[in-house]
Amino acid sequence: MRWVTGEHYFTAVPGAPERRREIGFSIDGREYRLAAAAGVFSGDRLDPGTAVLLRKVAQPAPDEAGTLLDLGCGYGPIAVVLADRAPSATVYAVDVNTRALELVRENAAGRRVRAARPDEVPEEVTFSQIWSNPPIRVGKADLHDLLGRWLPRLAPGGVAWLVVARHLGGDSLQRWLTDAGWSVARHASQKGYRILRVGRESG
Ligand SMILES: C[S@@+](CC[C@H](N)C(=O)[O-])C[C@H]1O[C@@H](n2cnc3c(N)ncnc32)[C@H](O)[C@@H]1O
C-alpha cells in the first residue's frame, strides 16, 4: 500500500533506504535502546501512544509463563519490554512489515520472542495477554478484521490491552468491540490516548 508521496509504515516490504537509528526510552526505571529504521512505524522515537500503554498497564508478573502477543509489533518496543518482564513467557511479535520483523529479531535477541508474519503463528496457539498499538490507519474495516482475527485467540481468562488515540477513533472502537460481544473497559486515558482492556468476561 502506498501514499502518493511514499510508503506507508505497513508496506509489507519497504523499498526506501533503511536509514538505521537507535531509539532510547525508559519504562519503570529500565533503559532500552532499540534499533529502528525508516519504513517502520514511529522509527525515530517511541510512539507516545505506545509509551502510554507501557506505562499505564501493569506489566506481566515476572513468573508469567504463558504466551503473549504483541500485535503489530513494529521494531518491537512492546515485545521487548514484555519479554524482559516475563522471561519465562513466550512473546509472539507479529507484523506484516518484513523490515519491522528483522528489527524486532535483532532487538529481542536473547529473549523469548518469536517474530512472525500473521500466517506464521501456529493455529493452535492462544494468548494469555494481547498487547497492541493497532494499525488504525489501515481503515475501520481492516482494523475490525484484524481484531476479529486475533481477539478470539485469547485464552480463557485472557486480556487484551489496546491503545488508540481518541481523535483516531478510540471511542468508536470501544463501542464496536462492545457490540461485537467483548467486555471492554476504559482502563486509562492520557495525552489523548485511550487504553482499552478487552476480555471475554466483565471485570
Ligand atoms: C501503530 S503501529 C505500532 C508499532 C509498534 N507496536 C510500536 O508501538 O511502535 C501498528 C503496526 O501494525 C502493523 N500491521 C499493519 N497491518 C497488520 C496486520 N494485518 N497484521 C499485523 N500487523 C499489522 C504495521 O506494520 C505497524 O507496524
Side-chain angles (χ1 to χ4, degrees):
M1 198 172 298
R2 286 164 193 279
W3 293 117
V4 177
T5 51
E7 295 167 326
H8 206 336
Y9 61 81
F10 46 82
T11 300
V13 186
E18 260 204 318
R19 296 203 306 277
R20 283 288 186 121
R21 60 207 70 161
E22 201 175 57
I23 298 190
F25 60 92
S26 72
I27 300 292
D28 290 344
R30 291 195 202 185
E31 301 290 332
Y32 295 89
R33 303 202 73 79
L34 302 185
V40 171
F41 174 79
S42 200
D44 52 5
R45 60 168 185 165
L46 181 66
D47 175 66
T50 301
V52 172
L53 178 69
L54 289 172
R55 291 179 180 138
K56 286 283 181 189
V57 178
Q59 296 294 323
D63 62 352
E64 164 73 52
T67 306
L68 314 178
L69 170 64
D70 173 2
L71 177 58
C73 61
Y75 62 92
I78 299 173
V80 168
V81 171
L82 294 179
D84 229 31
R85 288 315 169 91
S88 303
T90 298
V91 181
Y92 276 88
V94 170
D95 210 292
V96 290
N97 179 318
T98 52
R99 185 172 291 171
L101 292 174
E102 284 163 18
L103 288 165
V104 78
R105 278 189 194 103
E106 184 178 324
N107 286 327
R111 298 175 173 99
R112 291 171 73 111
V113 173
R114 297 189 184 166
R117 292 195 310 271
D119 291 338
E120 292 173 334
V121 181
E123 297 253 322
E124 67 280 8
V125 172
T126 58
F127 304 101
S128 53
Q129 297 184 19
I130 296 176
W131 289 57
S132 187
N133 178 350
I136 296 295
R137 292 181 192 277
V138 295
K140 249 184 201 176
D142 285 356
L143 176 66
H144 293 171
D145 284 353
L146 181 74
L147 295 173
R149 172 176 184 178
W150 293 96
L151 288 176
R153 295 181 69 168
L154 276 175
V159 174
W161 300 103
L162 310 177
V163 61
V164 188
R166 195 169 69 85
H167 79 281
L168 291 179
D171 294 345
S172 73
L173 182 64
Q174 180 170 0
R175 280 193 297 278
W176 179 81
L177 287 164
T178 304
D179 290 347
W182 295 98
S183 166
V184 189
R186 191 182 298 161
H187 171 76
S189 228
Q190 191 180 53
K191 297 181 185 161
Y193 292 94
R194 303 286 200 223
I195 305 291
L196 303 181
R197 178 194 188 282
V198 184
R200 293 181 195 279
E201 302 90 19
S202 49

